[in-house]
Amino acid sequence: MKVRMLAVVGVVLAVLPAMHAQAHAVSGAEVMRLTQEYVNAAPKRFIGSPGHAAAEAFIKDHFKPEAAKGDFVDDRFTARTPIGPLTMHNLIVKFPGKKDGIIVLASHYETNYWLKDIRFVGANDGACTTALLIALGQYYREHPPQGYSVWLLFTDGEESIGKDWTNEDSLYGTRHIAAKWSGDGTLGHIKALVLADMIGWKELNIDKETNSTPWLLDDLAKAGRDTGHSKYLFKESQAIQDDHLPFVQRGVPSLDVIDFEYGTAADPEAFHHTEQDTMDKLSVGSLQVSADLFVDLVKLINER
């Protein structure tokens, strides 16, 4: 297809990009637009700040139809932290399906408390994946799940409050909701949890995250083949502490879709948790890859 053999072939090829763009269930350009809006509305989203409240309001504003139907839950809780008790909010949006079971798509939406005194907007680390979940919600509103229910989980308190990440000072939201869902029986209905983190970086290469459930890593590899995005997967393999762990520890099949390397060749983490985590580091192309993978993952989980 790289060689224009006939004039008619050239005409067909000319329209293919537009046809392909229309085939995407979720638009990477829309995810980018939502990311910019989110960063504008809540550039600093550390817990307890006006920006954190603005972030919650932004998410809630995009799910008014679900709230009207009782399918939006504000899971408010108090966490014990190194600076004392803090009020946090997991936000859950439910799109009922036709089969008994739930697929949870998750991302954290806040920024680090210990970075509150610098201009850390977390464009890649929290903002773009929050926008991805919002865009996925728009898709499932218009195309209700025909298989398992899809729940969006916007998690709070993923980041540590102190500078040093510990098991006790991190993952507050998912530790809370995993325990809550274990107690009320919800956990037993979850077929898979798929977490999005740091996947807007324009030099995207999603890690093979080894704390994740093996069959979900297999599904991610297949989603890469299905969507033509295999080249963006599994250059690196490593175990990462992230919001999926409280679910892994309770036996829920879980997958962390993350590109942890976020920086330069000399320093692969140069932009992570710095003022350089800004919108210019993202690309529509990477967000399109991520959106395509998530939509296909839901399909593949339903086919198991």
Side-chain angles (χ1 to χ4, degrees):
M1 292 179 66
K2 291 181 180 179
V3 180
R4 185 168 58 187
M5 298 295 291
L6 299 169
V8 66
V9 174
V11 171
V12 172
L13 290 178
V15 301
L16 277 177
M19 292 171 62
H20 183 67
Q22 292 171 2
H24 293 298
V26 174
S27 162
E30 172 68 0
V31 178
M32 180 69 90
R33 185 189 69 79
L34 286 165
T35 304
Q36 184 66 73
E37 286 188 359
Y38 187 55
V39 167
N40 291 346
K44 297 174 71 169
R45 305 177 296 280
F46 60 91
I47 294 163
S49 70
H52 189 263
E56 294 171 27
F58 185 92
I59 296 167
K60 290 177 180 179
D61 190 56
H62 282 83
F63 293 106
K64 289 179 180 177
E66 288 68 39
K69 294 187 290 185
D71 289 331
F72 186 100
V73 177
D74 183 342
D75 172 47
R76 182 179 183 274
F77 65 100
T78 301
R80 296 180 179 178
T81 80
I83 62 169
L86 289 176
T87 299
M88 302 186 187
H89 301 256
N90 292 318
L91 305 175
I92 303 152
V93 191
K94 301 178 181 181
F95 295 92
K98 295 186 175 180
K99 294 198 299 185
D100 181 23
I102 303 161
I103 299 170
V104 179
L105 308 180
S107 170
H108 78 95
Y109 68 91
E110 91 287 14
T111 53
N112 308 61
Y113 188 90
W114 59 272
L115 293 174
K116 63 186 177 64
D117 295 325
I118 68 170
R119 185 170 175 76
F120 176 64
V121 303
N124 190 37
D125 195 1
C128 71
T129 48
T130 297
L132 173 62
L133 258 62
I134 292 172
L136 286 165
Q138 293 169 344
Y139 172 73
Y140 289 116
R141 179 184 301 144
E142 296 171 5
H143 304 84
Q146 298 303 295
Y148 299 126
S149 297
V150 174
W151 289 11
L152 308 179
L153 172 60
F154 297 86
T155 73
D156 204 356
E158 185 260 10
E159 302 285 12
S160 61
I161 300 301
K163 187 171 183 178
D164 295 324
W165 175 292
T166 68
N167 291 336
E168 293 74 30
D169 184 20
S170 64
L171 311 183
Y172 292 98
T174 43
R175 285 192 286 129
H176 165 80
I177 197 65
K180 181 175 180 178
W181 283 347
S182 177
D184 67 14
T186 300
L187 218 61
H189 295 277
I190 298 177
K191 300 301 180 180
L193 176 135
V194 184
L195 176 66
D197 200 357
M198 298 173 63
I199 49 177
W201 171 220
K202 59 188 176 184
E203 297 182 15
L204 181 68
N205 200 293
I206 293 166
D207 296 317
K208 187 173 186 178
E209 198 287 311
T210 57
N211 284 323
S212 296
T213 302
W215 68 259
L216 279 167
L217 285 169
D218 291 343
D219 276 4
L220 179 55
K222 187 174 188 308
R225 296 191 295 272
D226 290 348
T227 59
H229 297 324
S230 292
K231 68 180 181 180
Y232 299 100
L233 296 174
F234 300 168
K235 180 179 178 181
E236 302 288 341
S237 178
Q238 59 182 311
I240 298 170
Q241 291 181 299
D242 211 344
D243 262 333
H244 63 316
L245 289 185
F247 290 89
V248 171
Q249 291 159 359
R250 291 179 182 270
V252 176
S254 303
L255 174 67
D256 192 5
V257 184
I258 184 170
D259 179 4
F260 193 77
E261 296 73 24
Y262 181 39
T264 64
D267 182 0
E269 296 182 37
F271 308 145
H272 188 210
H273 290 170
T274 74
E275 289 183 337
Q276 296 183 74
D277 184 0
T278 47
M279 291 295 301
D280 61 296
K281 307 302 188 305
L282 311 182
S283 76
V284 169
S286 293
L287 294 170
Q288 189 64 68
V289 168
S290 299
D292 291 348
L293 290 172
F294 266 71
V295 172
D296 203 62
L297 278 166
V298 171
K299 176 180 73 71
L300 292 171
I301 294 165
N302 269 292
E303 290 173 353
R304 282 188 169 269

